[in-house]
């Protein structure tokens, strides 16, 4: 098996060479004549053709090793660039996920902090009931902001009614005090009479 196309020509050349034919013929003669011990093949000629064949095959193997080494080098370079690309994509993805996480965290926590700050202000006794939380959507945070706004509006309305009732009671109290003074004065006149 050869990988490089130019090595295929070398292989065809080795397979059709006189060295392979001579070596094959000598081996056949050795196998045929083994029992009788009388060989027709010249040992020096066999050595020359076999050595030539081994040299051709060695050259073919070296050429294939070089070609395979080049392929390996190219594959290694491609693998490095692929790994680099994957690492870059991973880093970009991580940066994007981190940025989106920070953005969504801020979008979620800002309205909650606004509502929490207003509730803290009301709970501490310095509450400004005119504070309204921004309703940004129909999600849970938007519903929380809407409920908070309704709560402060109702609480503010109740406080206005209580103030109005207190002013009315103050007026009734003042009228009652005036009436009491008039009654006391009338009682003093009656006592004097």
């Amino acid at each position: 098996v050869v990988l490089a196309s130019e090595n295929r020509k070398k292989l065809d050349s080795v397979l059709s060479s006189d060295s392979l034919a001579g070596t094959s013929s000598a081996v056949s003669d050795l196998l045929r004549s083994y029992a009788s011990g009388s060989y027709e093949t010249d040992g020096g000629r066999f050595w020359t053709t076999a050595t030539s064949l081994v040299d051709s095959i060695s050259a073919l193997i070296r050429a294939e090793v070089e070609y395979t080494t080049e392929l390996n080098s190219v594959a290694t370079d491609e693998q490095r660039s692929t790994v680099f690309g994957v690492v870059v994509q991973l880093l970009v993805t991580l940066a994007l996920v981190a940025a989106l996480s920070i953005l969504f965290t801020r979008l979620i926590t800002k309205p909650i902090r606004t509502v929490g700050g207003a509730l803290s202000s009301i709970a501490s006794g310095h509450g400004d009931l005119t504070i309204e939380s921004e309703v940004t959507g129909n999600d849970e945070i938007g519903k929380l902001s809407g409920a908070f706004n309704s709560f402060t509006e109702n609480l503010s309305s109740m406080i206005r009614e209580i103030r109005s009732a207190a002013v009315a009671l103050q007026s009734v109290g003042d009228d009652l005090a005036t009436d009491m003074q008039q009654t006391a004065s009338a009682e003093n006149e009656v006592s004097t009479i």
Side-chain angles (χ1 to χ4, degrees):
V1 175
V2 290
L3 299 175
S5 58
E6 60 269 5
N7 291 341
R8 182 71 187 160
K9 293 175 187 172
K10 289 179 184 177
L11 178 63
D12 291 341
S13 148
V14 168
L15 292 175
S16 64
S17 72
D18 291 335
S19 298
L20 180 62
T23 304
S24 179
S25 172
V27 169
S28 295
D29 179 45
L30 288 171
L31 293 175
R32 248 189 343 260
S33 305
Y34 173 73
S36 66
S38 61
Y39 301 107
E40 296 173 10
T41 304
D42 177 24
R45 187 171 161 243
F46 173 69
W47 178 258
T48 303
T49 56
T51 303
S52 173
L53 181 62
V54 168
D55 289 343
S56 298
I57 292 173
S58 295
L60 178 63
I61 290 173
R62 278 192 296 278
E64 276 297 300
V65 167
E66 288 175 12
Y67 181 73
T68 306
T69 302
E70 288 175 20
L71 285 178
N72 188 29
S73 175
V74 168
T76 302
D77 291 344
E78 287 177 3
Q79 184 182 20
R80 282 186 186 132
S81 66
T82 301
V83 167
F84 179 74
V86 168
V87 168
V88 167
Q89 288 176 345
L90 180 64
L91 291 176
V92 168
T93 302
L94 287 175
L96 184 62
V97 166
L100 289 174
S101 295
I102 291 170
L103 176 68
F104 285 130
T105 300
R106 288 186 180 169
L107 287 173
I108 291 171
T109 58
K110 183 182 175 189
I112 293 174
R113 286 184 183 161
T114 302
V115 172
L119 286 173
S120 294
S121 177
I122 292 170
S124 67
H126 303 97
D128 180 7
L129 296 178
T130 61
I131 295 174
E132 285 194 6
S133 180
E134 182 180 342
V135 179
T136 57
N138 198 20
D139 57 357
E140 288 79 10
I141 295 172
K143 289 177 183 177
L144 175 67
S145 297
F148 172 77
N149 291 342
S150 295
F151 167 73
T152 56
E153 186 179 318
N154 290 338
L155 188 59
S156 181
S157 176
M158 287 191 322
I159 290 174
R160 279 193 297 273
E161 289 175 10
I162 290 170
R163 281 186 185 158
S164 176
V167 168
L169 284 175
Q170 180 68 35
S171 175
V172 168
D174 289 345
D175 289 346
L176 187 57
T178 303
D179 289 344
M180 289 289 286
Q181 283 179 348
Q182 288 175 357
T183 302
S185 177
E187 184 183 324
N188 283 340
E189 284 181 29
V190 170
S191 281
T192 307
I193 294 178

